[in-house]
Amino acid sequence: MLDKTKKDWWKSAVFYQVYPKSFQDTNNDGIGDLPGIIQHLDYLERLGIDGIWLSPVYASPQKDNGYDISDYRSINPQLGTMEDMDKLIGEAGKRGITIIMDLVLNHSSNEHQWFLEAKSSRTSSRHDYYIWRDGTPDTPPNDMRAAFGGPAWTYVPEIGQYYFHHFSPWQPDLNWENPVLRQELYDMIRFWVEKGVGGFRLDVIDVIGKIPDRKITDNGPHLHEYIRELRQKAFKEDTLVTVGEAWSARVDTAKLYAAADGSELSMVFQFEHLCLDTDGKWDPIGLPLVSLKKCYERWQQGLYGTGWNSLFLENHDLPRIVSRWGDDGQYRVESAKMLAAMTHGMQGTPYIYQGEELGMTNIELPIELYDDLEIKNMYAERTAAGYAPKDIMESIYARGRDNARTPMQWSGESHAGFSQAEPWLPVNPNYTEINVKAALDDPNSIFFFYQKLIALRKQYAVFRDGTFTLLNPEDEKCFAYTRDTEEEHLLVVCNFTEETLPEVLPETFRGAETLLSNYPEPSGALRPYETRMLYLRT
Ligand code: TEU
Ligand code: CA
């Protein structure tokens, strides 16, 4: 077990993200709940993880599955009670598992008491907790758009003002310029710290310093002042782990969020490696492996000694990685392991998203069966704009957020053992083959591969401390890199194709120990999606 009284303990840790609604239902209403998480703590302990990032469990009208909070100090009754939450923290703690809560500080629900007061009158003491601008019904303050479609301004006729929402109209943005609001948030955070929560994941923290009048959302001029104040007033304990979600982060700004001096957050979730082949168009062609490798090199070297990164390929907003960069057919198991080794060999703190350790895959549903508001709004907007339904569906199949939100597959029993009732979102039909029970019965499963990766990170300091060197940067099929400290040397080789490639062992690694591979014996070549992790001491 890690010594969590050491202030950088999380540098050797591995976290696991639980999306409560989809993890385990215990009262058969089709919705996952807190007792369901408690029920599987032994499973998570067996995997070897040190902490759980829990997606929001607060009271919420669930317009965005809890990312719309109506009371930050209570638990959504659908998921359980405060007693269940206390029990989860306690039971997890007994197993060496720290609970990290999701903090949505950029916006609340429109049903939060603060917002109800704020919109009741311009003179309400809480009016200024949100962002208001004058206007008439047809003249919004400007043409900014919301991330989930439609305008970013919604009119409240009773007071003749618009409020700003970066996301949906049900998620009004909090006004961080107001020091009273900020203090209110810090007090709320202390409530959870005092309950024994070990840290926080900060939702869209890069936009809290927005200035809508200048159309600035990311990286507002006071952003880092706010984060430093948060650190001083709310995250007082040096051992708390804090991770900021920042889609806009680049290497230079990540050094601020995740500064080595601890003045802001422990680490950052940045997405550059996942945006290479999306509409961001850093590189528009397929999976640009060469760009991906250079992206990782830039981050691994750029933050070395100056900041700390997180390592992840999936979360509740992203498609399943084996469907995206691997092969979710014939080579599902091989490619899922390869992607895991590629990620876990690097410097940073790994996060595993529920089901990733099973190689769960994307899903294709008829449009009516999707739940996510982003998917629904996107479908409506593109339909209105004249896109062909087939093209819209293709893009939902590839990127839609519900790909990652289908219920956890525990067994081959009905509803995958997730629930006895019809789940809120369909189970992926491949649950009969891909499930926890099958994984635990098979010593060569993806689950046990992750278990080994987690153990290796604890065993060898090179995973935490080693420098990063990219080998053969221009090779379009194989991703190989080394990690080095004075005494320890690690080589990670990953074949990203279903072709057999020549082996690329650097001379120094001939005769090195194989720590891990996804094929039983080396063959002198790299088979489809083969990965090897070699180790030596000098
Ligand atoms: O996500 C931030 C965010 O920008 C996402 O909307 C992302 O761009 C999109 O999902 C990609 O498809 C966070 C949460 O992780 C997400 O679940 C919430 O919906 C969002 O904030 C609002 O709180
Ligand atoms: Ca339930």
Side-chain angles (χ1 to χ4, degrees):
M1 229 187 254
L2 293 176
D3 176 3
K4 293 183 179 172
T5 61
K6 280 180 50 194
K7 83 173 164 65
D8 286 355
W9 66 270
W10 37 265
K11 289 191 176 174
S12 314
V14 177
F15 289 91
Y16 184 95
Q17 183 189 353
V18 169
Y19 197 66
K21 216 177 161 179
S22 300
F23 198 60
Q24 175 73 61
D25 177 22
T26 58
N27 63 347
N28 297 318
D29 60 357
I31 297 171
D33 43 49
L34 293 175
I37 305 172
I38 298 170
Q39 186 180 312
H40 290 298
L41 287 171
D42 290 338
Y43 167 74
L44 297 176
E45 185 184 19
R46 185 165 180 196
L47 182 57
I49 52 119
D50 307 285
I52 293 173
W53 153 24
L54 196 60
S55 275
V57 294
Y58 313 89
S60 157
Q62 298 287 310
K63 295 285 188 200
D64 189 15
N65 288 348
Y67 287 90
D68 51 322
I69 298 171
S70 54
D71 182 355
Y72 290 89
R73 293 177 193 236
S74 70
I75 298 292
N76 172 8
Q78 245 179 5
L79 302 182
T81 61
M82 192 58 89
E83 287 66 45
D84 294 328
M85 187 63 199
D86 290 332
K87 187 168 172 209
L88 173 61
I89 296 170
E91 289 296 316
K94 286 185 202 161
R95 294 165 177 81
I97 297 173
T98 299
I99 301 290
I100 293 188
M101 287 188 88
D102 213 314
L103 271 181
V104 188
L105 303 178
N106 177 67
H107 47 270
S108 74
S109 159
N110 64 330
E111 293 182 31
H112 195 292
Q113 184 59 30
W114 298 340
F115 190 71
L116 299 179
E117 288 177 34
K119 72 165 191 184
S120 69
S121 134
R122 292 179 182 221
T123 58
S124 145
S125 63
R126 296 227 159 93
H127 187 66
D128 193 46
Y129 276 25
Y130 296 86
I131 300 169
W132 299 97
R133 298 290 181 266
D134 291 344
T136 55
D138 338 293
T139 54
N142 61 31
D143 62 358
M144 288 175 80
R145 309 285 298 169
F148 295 149
W153 299 98
T154 292
Y155 192 61
V156 178
E158 292 78 10
I159 57 170
Q161 286 188 315
Y162 283 86
Y163 65 90
F164 181 82
H165 49 90
H166 188 70
F167 295 94
S168 75
W170 303 287
Q171 294 162 299
D173 279 38
L174 291 162
N175 176 18
W176 272 74
E177 287 178 18
N178 181 337
V180 182
L181 174 266
R182 298 204 300 274
Q183 188 59 47
E184 184 113 52
L185 294 173
Y186 306 151
D187 294 344
M188 174 275 289
I189 294 171
R190 295 309 298 168
F191 166 85
W192 290 105
V193 173
E194 275 145 34
K195 274 199 170 287
V197 158
F200 301 93
R201 174 260 189 191
L202 296 109
D203 193 59
V204 291
I205 200 66
D206 56 340
V207 300
I208 62 169
K210 69 191 68 68
I211 308 204
D213 312 271
R214 286 160 52 197
K215 299 194 188 176
I216 295 174
T217 52
D218 308 328
N219 301 311
H222 300 295
L223 173 64
H224 292 280
E225 264 167 58
Y226 296 150
I227 299 176
R228 285 192 287 269
E229 188 181 271
L230 247 174
R231 165 73 168 102
Q232 283 157 19
K233 300 207 168 158
F235 305 144
K236 298 180 188 174
E237 294 78 359
D238 281 335
T239 50
L240 282 176
V241 33
T242 51
V243 47
E245 185 204 24
W247 282 77
S248 67
R250 300 293 172 263
V251 172
D252 57 339
T253 50
K255 286 182 192 177
L256 299 172
Y257 293 110
D261 67 5
S263 55
E264 296 195 10
L265 307 172
S266 314
M267 63 187 115
V268 64
F269 281 135
Q270 58 80 23
F271 295 80
E272 265 204 331
H273 58 297
L274 293 165
C275 294
L276 293 164
D277 63 337
T278 62
D279 298 333
K281 295 267 188 277
W282 272 299
D283 188 329
I285 312 148
L287 166 66
L289 186 61
V290 170
S291 309
L292 181 71
K293 286 156 58 165
K294 290 180 182 171
C295 176
Y296 274 120
E297 178 185 47
R298 194 163 66 243
W299 280 91
Q300 289 286 302
Q301 296 181 349
L303 289 195
Y304 191 82
T306 59
W308 195 257
N309 211 342
S310 56
L311 303 168
F312 68 98
L313 296 174
E314 291 189 9
N315 68 28
H316 63 293
D317 294 331
L318 300 166
R320 294 290 185 176
I321 202 66
V322 71
S323 297
R324 181 172 175 184
W325 287 352
D327 169 14
D328 62 10
Q330 186 184 355
Y331 296 111
R332 188 183 64 86
V333 173
E334 288 80 1
S335 61
K337 290 177 181 173
M338 181 279 284
L339 291 164
M342 185 240 347
T343 305
H344 284 242
M346 291 195 227
Q347 185 174 58
T349 299
Y351 288 75
I352 300 164
Y353 178 67
Q354 65 183 44
E356 186 178 347
E357 80 280 17
L358 308 175
M360 278 177 63
T361 68
N362 283 353
I363 197 170
E364 295 184 4
L365 296 172
I367 187 67
E368 322 75 70
L369 290 184
Y370 284 100
D371 176 88
D372 178 27
L373 87 169
E374 183 178 68
I375 292 181
K376 289 180 173 169
N377 289 348
M378 190 272 256
Y379 187 85
E381 276 199 351
R382 292 200 183 168
T383 304
Y387 286 71
K390 186 174 158 294
D391 295 341
I392 311 176
M393 292 318 293
E394 285 304 323
S395 118
I396 293 171
Y397 298 157
R399 306 240 177 270
R401 305 198 296 181
D402 283 340
N403 279 311
R405 299 177 181 185
T406 61
M408 181 71 176
Q409 294 165 204
W410 295 103
S411 72
E413 287 160 36
S414 70
H415 308 304
F418 164 74
S419 174
Q420 319 247 334
E422 195 64 32
W424 68 279
L425 186 69
V427 172
N428 193 313
N430 62 22
Y431 74 93
T432 49
E433 181 204 341
I434 305 171
N435 62 64
V436 169
K437 179 156 188 319
L440 295 179
D441 286 343
D442 172 10
N444 289 318
S445 67
I446 303 167
F447 175 91
F448 288 114
F449 194 87
Y450 270 96
Q451 188 190 54
K452 284 186 200 122
L453 283 171
I454 297 169
L456 288 171
R457 180 162 286 263
K458 307 273 159 60
Q459 199 177 344
Y460 300 107
V462 67
F463 284 90
R464 188 191 55 213
D465 301 330
T467 56
F468 176 95
T469 308
L470 177 61
L471 308 180
N472 311 324
E474 302 305 328
D475 185 323
E476 291 169 4
K477 295 176 178 169
C478 178
F479 186 177
Y481 60 86
T482 55
R483 302 282 314 282
D484 299 278
T485 63
E486 290 276 310
E487 308 84 35
E488 293 186 290
H489 310 278
L490 177 73
L491 169 70
V492 181
V493 180
C494 301
N495 179 355
F496 264 76
T497 72
E498 49 178 69
E499 294 165 40
T500 297
L501 308 175
E503 196 164 48
V504 285
L505 283 194
E507 208 43 52
T508 44
F509 278 90
R510 304 240 173 248
E513 177 191 351
T514 300
L515 291 181
L516 200 55
S517 169
N518 56 353
Y519 280 81
E521 296 293 333
S523 69
L526 275 180
R527 287 154 289 188
Y529 295 102
E530 181 160 352
T531 184
R532 297 181 65 193
M533 242 183 202
L534 302 189
Y535 176 82
L536 65 110
R537 292 184 76 89
T538 48

